[in-house]
Amino acid sequence: MRLDAAGYDRTEAVPERLAVVTGGNKGVGLEVCRQLALQGVTVILTARDEKRGKDAVESFRCESDINIIFHQLDVKDDDSVASLVRYVEGRYGKLDILVNNAAVVGVAADEEGLKAAKIDADTWISGRAANLLKEVFQNTVDEALNCLNTNYYGCKRVTEALLPLLKRSTSGARIVNASSAASELKRMPNEKLRNDLSNIEIWDEERIDALVNTFLEDLRNGQLKEAGWPMWLPAYSVSKMVINLYTRVMARRHPDMRINCVRPGFVKTDLVWNLGLLTPEQGARGLVMLALLPEDGPTGCYFDQTEMVNVW
Ligand SMILES: NC(=O)c1ccc[n+]([C@@H]2O[C@H](COP(=O)([O-])OP(=O)(O)OC[C@H]3O[C@@H](n4cnc5c(N)ncnc54)[C@H](OP(=O)(O)O)[C@@H]3O)[C@@H](O)[C@H]2O)c1
C-alpha cells in the first residue's frame, strides 16, 4: 500500500464511474445508491447522520458485487461539504456522477391532524390539499429557511464544491437534481413570475437569490397569497422551482456535462408521511436513468420519472 500525503491509498484502482448521492440513507436516495451500484458504479452514499448512513451501507451487505461506501455529508454545513470534497479528491481525484437528492418538506406538521384529514393521493398530487391542510401544515419562517437552505442552497453548495472534480470525470460528468411536481409553473399563481420563470435567459444565481429573498420577505409579512406564491407547501415549491432554474443555468454554463432535474413521482417515503403510491425502487428509476445518460443525452431538461416533459 502507498499512502499519499493526506493518508489515502493511491494504489487503489480508480473506478470507471464514481457517484456521490446526497441524503442516501433512506427513501429514494437509498434506492438510487443501490440501483447505481448494481450498474457497476462505485457509490459514495452520504448522510448527515453518521449512524444512519453506516446502517444504510450495512443494509447492502448481503448484495454481492456492489461497491457502496459511506461518507458523512450535511448539505447545509460548509465544513462537512469541504470534508467530503477532500475525501473524494484524495482517494479518487475525480467524480463522474452527482445526485442531489437530499431534501426536507419545509412545514411544521401536526401529524395527528394529517392522519385525521385522510388526504388521498390525487388530492395531494394536484395541490388541492393546500386548503384542506391549512390548519395541519404551518408555514413558519424557520421551516422555510431550513427548507431553502437544504433543498436549494444545499444542492448549490455541494454542486459548486464538487464541480472541479466533476470536470475531471473520465466518463462524462452527470448531475441529477431531485425536483418535484410542486415546482411546475402551472402551480405558480403570479403571472409575471410565471412568465419570468419560463424565460431562462434572464436567470443567474444572483437573480435566483433575489427571488428567494422576496419569497422569504413575503412569508415574514404574511403576504404569500396576496403576492401570488404557490400555497401548497410554499417553501418546498419555491425551493424546487429554483432548483429547476439552477439546473438550466448550470446546463447552459457546462455544455460538456449532462445536467438535468427530475420528479421521482409520489413515493412512499418519510418526506410525504408515507402517503405516496410508488415504491422508492420505482421513484429512483428516473434519477438513475439521468445519472447514466449517454454522452449525447439531453441536458438542462426536466423529467417526470423517466419521461422528458416541458413544464416551463
Ligand atoms: N417522496 C415523494 O413523493 C417525492 C415527491 C417529489 C419529489 N421528491 C424528492 O425526492 C428526493 C428524495 O425524497 P424522499 O422522498 O426519499 O425523502 P426522505 O425519505 O425524507 O429522504 C430525504 C433524505 O434527505 C436527507 N436530508 C435532509 N436534510 C439533509 C441535510 N441537511 N443534509 C444531508 N441530507 C439531508 C434525509 O436525511 P435524514 O434521514 O437524516 O433526515 C434523507 O436521507 C427529495 O429531493 C424530494 O424532494 C420526493
Side-chain angles (χ1 to χ4, degrees):
M1 187 187 293
R2 186 162 47 82
L3 299 182
D4 68 9
Y8 292 107
D9 175 7
R10 285 303 199 151
T11 58
E12 192 182 325
V14 173
E16 195 184 322
R17 281 175 306 176
L18 175 71
V20 164
V21 180
T22 71
N25 57 291
K26 67 178 182 180
V28 173
L30 182 68
E31 256 305 311
V32 170
C33 292
R34 195 179 71 85
Q35 290 179 27
L36 283 176
L38 286 171
Q39 295 289 326
V41 177
T42 297
V43 178
I44 304 176
L45 178 160
T46 69
R48 60 178 159 178
D49 182 273
E50 190 147 340
K51 175 158 184 352
R52 288 199 286 271
K54 284 184 173 163
D55 286 352
V57 169
E58 184 61 17
S59 72
F60 295 118
R61 75 180 181 285
C62 295
E63 307 214 25
S64 54
D65 288 339
I66 64 171
N67 200 0
I68 302 183
I69 302 146
F70 168 70
H71 199 280
Q72 195 275 345
L73 175 67
D74 182 336
V75 301
K76 292 199 301 178
D77 177 349
D78 287 331
D79 291 342
S80 168
V81 175
S83 158
L84 174 73
V85 173
R86 277 196 303 277
Y87 170 76
V88 180
E89 156 101 70
R91 186 153 174 183
Y92 303 104
K94 64 128 188 194
L95 179 66
D96 305 294
I97 298 165
L98 169 62
V99 181
N100 285 305
N101 165 79
V104 293
V105 77
V107 288
D110 160 13
E111 301 207 1
E112 289 309 311
L114 180 60
K115 265 187 220 150
K118 292 198 169 69
I119 297 294
D120 64 53
D122 273 355
T123 309
W124 183 285
I125 296 167
S126 67
R128 288 194 307 275
N131 268 337
L132 303 168
L133 298 179
K134 254 195 244 154
E135 306 301 321
V136 171
F137 288 162
Q138 300 299 318
N139 299 309
T140 66
V141 173
D142 280 353
E143 290 289 347
L145 286 168
N146 184 37
C147 179
L148 286 154
N149 197 11
T150 305
N151 301 8
Y152 171 57
Y153 289 107
C155 161
K156 182 167 172 256
R157 191 176 286 117
V158 172
T159 303
E160 281 174 1
L162 287 170
L163 205 56
L165 293 171
L166 285 161
K167 284 185 182 158
R168 289 193 226 147
S169 165
T170 47
S171 56
R174 307 284 177 263
I175 302 176
V176 184
N177 295 328
S179 189
S180 161
S183 74
E184 296 173 10
L185 292 189
K186 59 181 185 237
R187 307 284 181 103
M188 170 59 85
N190 181 323
E191 195 182 340
K192 154 111 181 48
L193 209 42
R194 203 167 55 237
N195 290 337
D196 283 355
L197 287 167
S198 66
N199 178 10
I200 191 60
E201 300 306 320
I202 62 175
W203 290 94
D204 59 14
E205 288 89 335
E206 210 178 311
R207 190 168 181 147
I208 295 176
D209 287 349
L211 178 77
V212 169
N213 289 335
T214 305
F215 166 77
L216 289 169
E217 202 175 308
D218 287 337
L219 174 63
R220 283 193 189 95
N221 295 331
Q223 295 289 315
L224 287 188
K225 196 163 194 263
E226 293 72 7
W229 294 101
M231 293 310 291
W232 174 232
L233 307 174
Y236 181 78
S237 300
V238 171
S239 76
K240 297 295 187 179
M241 282 175 184
V242 292
I243 278 187
N244 294 353
L245 288 176
Y246 183 61
T247 303
R248 298 172 83 195
V249 167
M250 291 296 279
R252 196 176 51 193
R253 196 176 294 151
H254 301 283
D256 49 322
M257 301 184 181
R258 306 290 95 189
I259 305 176
N260 293 288
C261 47
V262 53
R263 59 179 274 203
F266 190 36
V267 186
K268 200 171 169 58
T269 65
D270 291 346
L271 189 90
V272 294
W273 293 273
N274 290 296
L275 294 169
L277 298 176
L278 303 179
T279 62
E281 188 273 333
Q282 293 169 313
R285 284 181 201 163
L287 286 81
V288 170
M289 181 195 84
L290 294 173
L292 300 176
L293 278 179
E295 217 169 291
D296 60 352
T299 190
C301 299
Y302 178 92
F303 287 75
D304 176 357
Q305 301 176 62
T306 54
E307 296 281 307
M308 191 195 294
V309 286
N310 190 353
V311 291
W312 36 67

